Amino acid sequence: MPQMPKDSQESPSSPQARRRRAPAMDRGERRRSILDAALAEFAAHGFAGARLEDVARRAGVAKGTLYLYFSDKEALFRGLVEENLSPVIVDAGGMVALFPGTTRELLDLLIELLAQRVLEAPAQALVRLMIAEGPRFPELAAYYHREVVVRGLALIRAIVARGIARGEIDSDIPAQFPQLVIAPAIVAVVWNSMFGTFDPLDVRRFLAAHRDLILRGLGWRET
Amino acid sequence: MPQMPKDSQESPSSPQARRRRAPAMDRGERRRSILDAALAEFAAHGFAGARLEDVARRAGVAKGTLYLYFSDKEALFRGLVEENLSPVIVDAGGMVALFPGTTRELLDLLIELLAQRVLEAPAQALVRLMIAEGPRFPELAAYYHREVVVRGLALIRAIVARGIARGEIDSDIPAQFPQLVIAPAIVAVVWNSMFGTFDPLDVRRFLAAHRDLILRGLGWRET
Amino acid sequence: MPQMPKDSQESPSSPQARRRRAPAMDRGERRRSILDAALAEFAAHGFAGARLEDVARRAGVAKGTLYLYFSDKEALFRGLVEENLSPVIVDAGGMVALFPGTTRELLDLLIELLAQRVLEAPAQALVRLMIAEGPRFPELAAYYHREVVVRGLALIRAIVARGIARGEIDSDIPAQFPQLVIAPAIVAVVWNSMFGTFDPLDVRRFLAAHRDLILRGLGWRET
Amino acid sequence: MPQMPKDSQESPSSPQARRRRAPAMDRGERRRSILDAALAEFAAHGFAGARLEDVARRAGVAKGTLYLYFSDKEALFRGLVEENLSPVIVDAGGMVALFPGTTRELLDLLIELLAQRVLEAPAQALVRLMIAEGPRFPELAAYYHREVVVRGLALIRAIVARGIARGEIDSDIPAQFPQLVIAPAIVAVVWNSMFGTFDPLDVRRFLAAHRDLILRGLGWRET
DNA sequence: TATGAATGAGCGTTCATTCAT
DNA sequence: AATGAATGAACGCTCATTCAT
């Protein structure tokens, strides 16, 4: 129906079959509520285990409506990743660029950002979902790598370079392997998703210990 | 086929495998070949996505045969973890107990063990599978926690205590959070399973860098 | 199909059923057609032997559609009993309550009801199915006992009491064992289901003979 | 291996694979134990629901051994019916031919025979099995009709004729429909198999009431 | 003769996707 | 645009039957 030029609001109260759902949301709002529902269901049951009927019910729409917003289950999963992970990196980038204090203080700030925005639900679930399902969605993994991982690692390199420039640290190991800096955060997500119920890991204390360990490992000295 | 005159034992080992029995493996061998096939299929498609028919075909047995060795799909998954991951921890424990050299040399040895037996072997896929599917198999996660994780962390604590006793290191951070020591290995598995095809991580160099970083962070000095 | 110019409602009932939806029955109609198909298949192959695919095909729906109406195979069987047997008892009850004539005439009426609604109808197969499968469906057997058998026997007791009150009969044996009155009807069902093809039993004559036999046994006299 | 003329008992203690099962039963004994096991399993789970593996285990033989005695599951069921039901009729026939007392006493005797040999397990189960599965085994039903039912009904006719000849009864209804005489026994089997657990029917009292009812219905008078 | 591991056709059930309304 | 009943391919699991030993 590529053309629909005229009079689109003609007689809105015509006596035709009148059981359309609440048009009380605009397209963007509804898309968001579907994505939120999908995140909850995918997080709870994995990609394969999540049922689109449950996503629809949770979003308050009919099953068929999902297909008006996403072409299939995979597209829904893609939409999820694309809309939830990028913003954190952007914010962190801004933070690093403007921060005036020591590297230690900067790390504390980022730990807090990470803890609040990623290591707690629902984003935590998304990270775990990417780990779990990534290998079966190579294009999505590439997207994630490009948009989130590479940028995040660049940010770590920037922090290290900044610290070296300020004379606070002296090692360039994390410049080669910035993953070493973020690894405990990843592990914390994995740990709590698997063992959180019976052996929870205190993420903030865990990351603080990591900060202390690597700062010393990086040759930290107060300037 | 009422007539069957002569030569009934002509070439009994002719290769005319005509939809007949698998060629008489002993029970252990067949169990292994099923587990190997299952690992490959689970790794490729995840637990839910793997089809038992494909596992059977890959193992060279009929579908029903799987059920002579494993009571259901979940038991097959469980068998995988039990037979592939637990032994590594046991071996590593023996290694630590007997090792005579420095902590740095011990870590190198364990990195090599990890690299060979887990990070480069099919077992890598298994670690990722545990991460991916663990939350939906709480009992299996508990088993893995008990048999692999707790023991692995105890081993790390033993290494740290040994290093402190030898006067080689002085920090007790990893005694509180031994996960910090193993975290990069976990991340290496995740990384390579997701991005390995287009941005592979050199596991040995990565873990060596980690070793250097944390040894310094732990106050390393040659004795 | 990007173009769809005009005449979109030309002959909407054309017979070009092209692997498409079943033609819009209302819910009750479709439920009935599924039940009818299920009765036929269960009767022909027993509960375990009947294939839901055949039920679906016979009902003219897809296999999955069955599950929109019945939660599983057992529920389908239950639906069959509930909708086919219970109503007969209710109707018979109404008949007895209002009937003005002699006991003999009343029995003739009930024989006719039984013959028409149970012994000659598809419901006959259902009675045999209940006998055949009852022991393996204890809850269904209990339901059948409660809703059909107990009520049916109460009805027999009522008829006997009525006959005694009218001075037509004098025995209270069927008040103790009302099953004796209905037994030949059960046997007729069993007989015809097993031997009907080569040695059919004339149900009406059989039940009439039974009526004569027990009326005399009960001390029948015209008043 | 159609030919194997000579020396079949050469070296019975040869060191060949020696794990044959106990030859402690002759062929007939083993056949019986398989039939007994089959009756128990078929009675408990029906024809379709019974598992040959369970039959074999209960009979104390291997699964494959069943096929040395019965060509398939159906043949096993046939064997069951053929070997268990006929003897009762034969015995009852002898009893009627020789009995010197009144018809009432004869009926009492047959009730007792029926109660002991048919209305109690395991033969009861077999009657119910025939009812349940008969329609799916037309040939078996025909066999049963010919060997058991026709003979049983002939016996009833003989009893009635004997009673009339003795001047004890005067009705020929059961000569036309001898099923009326046996119907309550059939119903008792059905009743107890379905409702026996929560509403058992006292078979002997039930059949005695039937005896009284029909004797009067047949015009009984002491001679 | 007896065994029991192996087979694979078969079935109940699920759920992503479609489409008439 | 929205609905949700209908679809049917797909899959885990069972079990009667076979056959190498």
Side-chain angles (χ1 to χ4, degrees):
Chain A
M1 209 184 289
Q3 290 187 11
M4 195 228 280
K6 316 175 182 177
D7 62 21
S8 58
Q9 58 256 56
E10 186 194 41
S11 83
S13 60
S14 71
Q16 292 172 6
R18 182 147 296 277
R19 72 187 87 117
R20 308 274 186 269
R21 256 308 176 283
M25 273 183 187
D26 75 0
R27 193 165 171 85
E29 267 179 297
R30 181 148 292 172
R31 184 183 160 89
R32 260 291 12 124
S33 69
I34 290 173
L35 284 172
D36 290 346
L39 176 54
E41 293 295 329
F42 283 146
H45 305 107
F47 177 78
R51 297 160 63 234
L52 290 189
E53 176 146 22
D54 292 338
V55 172
R57 177 166 31 249
R58 189 187 277 264
V61 301
K63 225 182 334 171
T65 304
L66 300 183
Y67 289 84
L68 299 174
Y69 290 83
F70 299 94
S71 63
D72 58 14
K73 202 184 187 184
E74 273 192 42
L76 183 52
F77 185 43
R78 270 198 306 277
L80 217 48
V81 174
E82 292 169 9
E83 308 221 350
N84 279 292
L85 290 179
S86 300
V88 180
I89 295 297
V90 174
D91 293 356
M95 200 169 278
V96 170
L98 301 173
F99 191 73
T102 65
T103 296
R104 182 184 186 96
E105 288 163 345
L106 177 53
L107 286 178
D108 281 340
L109 202 64
L110 290 171
I111 286 172
E112 194 51 33
L113 179 72
L114 224 53
Q116 279 181 20
R117 300 273 299 273
V118 177
L119 304 184
E120 283 161 4
Q124 178 186 31
L126 202 50
V127 170
R128 198 185 60 72
L129 265 177
M130 271 307 306
I131 294 173
E133 313 289 351
R136 256 164 304 153
F137 296 94
E139 286 179 27
L140 188 58
Y143 169 89
Y144 178 65
H145 180 264
R146 186 174 64 246
E147 300 296 323
V148 178
V149 174
V150 169
R151 293 184 186 184
L153 298 184
L155 205 56
I156 292 171
R157 287 196 179 91
I159 294 170
V160 172
R162 179 182 177 279
I164 292 178
R166 288 169 60 101
E168 293 170 335
I169 57 178
D170 61 23
S171 168
D172 67 340
I173 288 179
Q176 292 176 61
F177 292 112
Q179 296 96 333
L180 292 175
V181 179
I182 198 70
I186 304 298
V187 166
V189 167
V190 169
W191 183 281
N192 277 330
S193 72
M194 293 183 71
F195 313 131
T197 53
F198 54 88
D199 185 11
L201 185 65
D202 182 326
V203 173
R204 284 186 173 78
R205 287 188 54 231
F206 182 63
L207 295 185
H210 175 55
R211 175 205 61 201
D212 292 343
L213 186 62
I214 63 166
L215 277 181
R216 189 178 179 195
L218 296 172
W220 168 260
R221 62 181 163 277
E222 198 85 33
T223 54
Chain B
M1 209 182 289
Q3 290 188 9
M4 193 225 286
K6 299 181 185 181
D7 64 24
S8 59
Q9 57 257 51
E10 191 194 38
S11 84
S13 59
S14 70
Q16 50 171 278
R18 213 187 276 238
R19 87 179 74 173
R20 277 290 137 239
R21 294 287 188 296
M25 269 177 181
D26 80 358
R27 198 167 168 82
E29 256 180 303
R30 179 144 295 167
R31 184 183 161 88
R32 269 257 54 98
S33 70
I34 290 172
L35 283 172
D36 291 346
L39 179 51
E41 293 294 328
F42 283 153
H45 307 105
F47 178 79
R51 298 161 60 223
L52 290 187
E53 181 150 17
D54 292 339
V55 172
R57 183 173 16 255
R58 189 187 276 262
V61 301
K63 223 185 337 170
T65 304
L66 300 183
Y67 291 85
L68 298 177
Y69 291 83
F70 300 94
S71 62
D72 58 13
K73 200 183 189 185
E74 196 171 331
L76 186 51
F77 187 30
R78 221 177 308 127
L80 234 35
V81 176
E82 290 169 11
E83 307 222 350
N84 283 293
L85 261 20
S86 298
V88 178
I89 294 296
V90 173
D91 293 355
M95 201 169 276
V96 170
L98 300 173
F99 191 75
T102 65
T103 295
R104 183 185 185 95
E105 288 162 345
L106 177 54
L107 287 178
D108 282 339
L109 200 64
L110 290 171
I111 286 173
E112 193 53 30
L113 178 73
L114 222 55
Q116 278 181 22
R117 298 270 300 271
V118 179
L119 303 182
E120 289 174 345
Q124 177 184 27
L126 200 49
V127 171
R128 196 188 58 74
L129 266 177
M130 271 306 309
I131 293 172
E133 310 289 352
R136 252 157 312 148
F137 296 94
E139 284 180 28
L140 185 58
Y143 169 87
Y144 179 66
H145 181 262
R146 186 175 61 248
E147 300 296 322
V148 178
V149 173
V150 168
R151 292 184 185 185
L153 298 184
L155 208 55
I156 292 172
R157 286 195 179 92
I159 295 168
V160 171
R162 179 181 177 282
I164 293 178
R166 290 168 60 101
E168 293 171 337
I169 58 178
D170 62 21
S171 169
D172 69 338
I173 287 179
Q176 292 176 63
F177 292 112
Q179 297 95 334
L180 292 175
V181 179
I182 199 68
I186 304 299
V187 165
V189 167
V190 169
W191 183 282
N192 276 330
S193 71
M194 293 182 70
F195 313 132
T197 54
F198 54 87
D199 185 11
L201 186 63
D202 181 325
V203 173
R204 284 187 170 77
R205 287 188 54 230
F206 182 60
L207 294 185
H210 176 53
R211 177 204 59 199
D212 292 342
L213 187 62
I214 63 165
L215 277 181
R216 187 179 181 193
L218 295 172
W220 168 262
R221 62 182 160 277
E222 200 83 33
T223 53
Chain C
M1 207 184 290
Q3 288 187 12
M4 194 226 281
K6 297 181 179 181
D7 64 22
S8 58
Q9 58 256 51
E10 188 194 37
S11 82
S13 61
S14 71
Q16 50 170 279
R18 210 188 280 238
R19 87 182 70 171
R20 277 291 135 242
R21 292 290 188 293
M25 272 178 180
D26 81 357
R27 194 166 171 84
E29 255 180 304
R30 179 143 295 168
R31 183 184 161 89
R32 268 258 53 98
S33 69
I34 290 172
L35 283 172
D36 291 346
L39 179 51
E41 293 294 329
F42 284 152
H45 306 105
F47 178 79
R51 298 162 58 223
L52 290 187
E53 180 151 18
D54 292 338
V55 173
R57 180 169 24 250
R58 190 186 277 263
V61 300
K63 219 173 354 160
T65 304
L66 300 184
Y67 290 86
L68 298 176
Y69 291 82
F70 300 94
S71 62
D72 56 16
K73 200 184 189 184
E74 196 172 330
L76 185 51
F77 187 30
R78 218 177 311 130
L80 234 32
V81 176
E82 290 169 12
E83 307 224 349
N84 283 293
L85 260 20
S86 298
V88 178
I89 294 296
V90 172
D91 293 355
M95 201 168 276
V96 171
L98 300 174
F99 191 74
T102 66
T103 296
R104 183 185 186 95
E105 289 163 346
L106 177 53
L107 286 178
D108 281 339
L109 201 62
L110 290 171
I111 286 173
E112 194 53 32
L113 178 72
L114 221 55
Q116 278 181 22
R117 298 271 299 271
V118 179
L119 303 182
E120 288 173 347
Q124 177 185 25
L126 201 47
V127 171
R128 196 188 56 76
L129 266 176
M130 270 308 308
I131 294 172
E133 312 289 353
R136 253 156 312 147
F137 296 95
E139 285 181 27
L140 186 58
Y143 169 86
Y144 179 65
H145 180 264
R146 186 175 61 248
E147 299 297 322
V148 178
V149 174
V150 168
R151 293 185 185 183
L153 298 184
L155 207 55
I156 292 171
R157 287 195 178 91
I159 295 168
V160 172
R162 178 181 179 281
I164 292 178
R166 291 169 59 100
E168 293 171 334
I169 58 179
D170 61 21
S171 167
D172 67 341
I173 288 180
Q176 292 175 64
F177 293 112
Q179 296 95 335
L180 292 174
V181 179
I182 198 69
I186 305 298
V187 166
V189 167
V190 169
W191 182 282
N192 276 329
S193 71
M194 293 183 70
F195 314 131
T197 54
F198 55 87
D199 185 12
L201 186 65
D202 183 325
V203 173
R204 283 188 171 75
R205 288 189 51 231
F206 182 62
L207 294 185
H210 175 54
R211 176 206 60 201
D212 292 342
L213 187 60
I214 64 166
L215 276 182
R216 188 177 180 194
L218 296 172
W220 168 260
R221 61 179 161 278
E222 200 84 33
T223 54
Chain D
M1 210 182 291
Q3 290 187 9
M4 194 228 281
K6 315 172 186 179
D7 62 22
S8 59
Q9 58 259 54
E10 190 194 38
S11 83
S13 59
S14 69
Q16 292 171 5
R18 181 148 297 279
R19 75 188 83 115
R20 308 275 186 268
R21 253 311 174 279
M25 271 183 188
D26 75 0
R27 193 166 172 85
E29 268 180 294
R30 180 147 295 170
R31 184 184 160 87
R32 264 274 33 110
S33 69
I34 290 173
L35 283 171
D36 290 346
L39 177 53
E41 292 295 328
F42 283 146
H45 306 107
F47 177 78
R51 296 159 66 234
L52 290 189
E53 176 146 20
D54 292 339
V55 173
R57 179 168 28 250
R58 189 186 277 262
V61 301
K63 226 184 327 173
T65 305
L66 299 183
Y67 289 84
L68 299 174
Y69 291 83
F70 300 94
S71 64
D72 58 13
K73 200 184 189 185
E74 272 191 45
L76 183 54
F77 185 43
R78 269 197 307 275
L80 216 48
V81 175
E82 292 170 8
E83 308 221 350
N84 281 291
L85 289 180
S86 300
V88 179
I89 295 298
V90 174
D91 293 357
M95 198 169 279
V96 170
L98 300 173
F99 191 75
T102 66
T103 296
R104 182 186 186 94
E105 289 162 346
L106 177 54
L107 286 178
D108 282 339
L109 201 64
L110 289 172
I111 286 174
E112 194 52 32
L113 179 72
L114 224 53
Q116 279 180 22
R117 300 272 300 272
V118 178
L119 303 183
E120 282 160 5
Q124 177 185 32
L126 202 51
V127 171
R128 198 186 58 73
L129 266 177
M130 272 307 307
I131 294 173
E133 313 290 349
R136 255 163 305 152
F137 297 94
E139 288 180 25
L140 188 58
Y143 170 88
Y144 179 66
H145 180 262
R146 186 174 63 247
E147 300 297 323
V148 179
V149 174
V150 168
R151 294 184 186 183
L153 298 185
L155 204 56
I156 292 172
R157 286 195 180 90
I159 294 169
V160 172
R162 179 184 177 280
I164 292 177
R166 289 169 61 98
E168 293 171 335
I169 57 179
D170 62 21
S171 167
D172 67 341
I173 287 180
Q176 293 176 64
F177 293 112
Q179 297 96 332
L180 292 175
V181 180
I182 197 68
I186 304 299
V187 166
V189 167
V190 169
W191 182 282
N192 277 329
S193 71
M194 292 184 69
F195 314 132
T197 55
F198 55 88
D199 186 12
L201 186 64
D202 182 325
V203 172
R204 284 185 174 78
R205 289 189 52 230
F206 182 61
L207 294 185
H210 175 54
R211 177 205 59 199
D212 292 344
L213 187 59
I214 64 166
L215 277 181
R216 188 180 182 193
L218 295 172
W220 168 260
R221 59 181 163 277
E222 200 83 31
T223 54

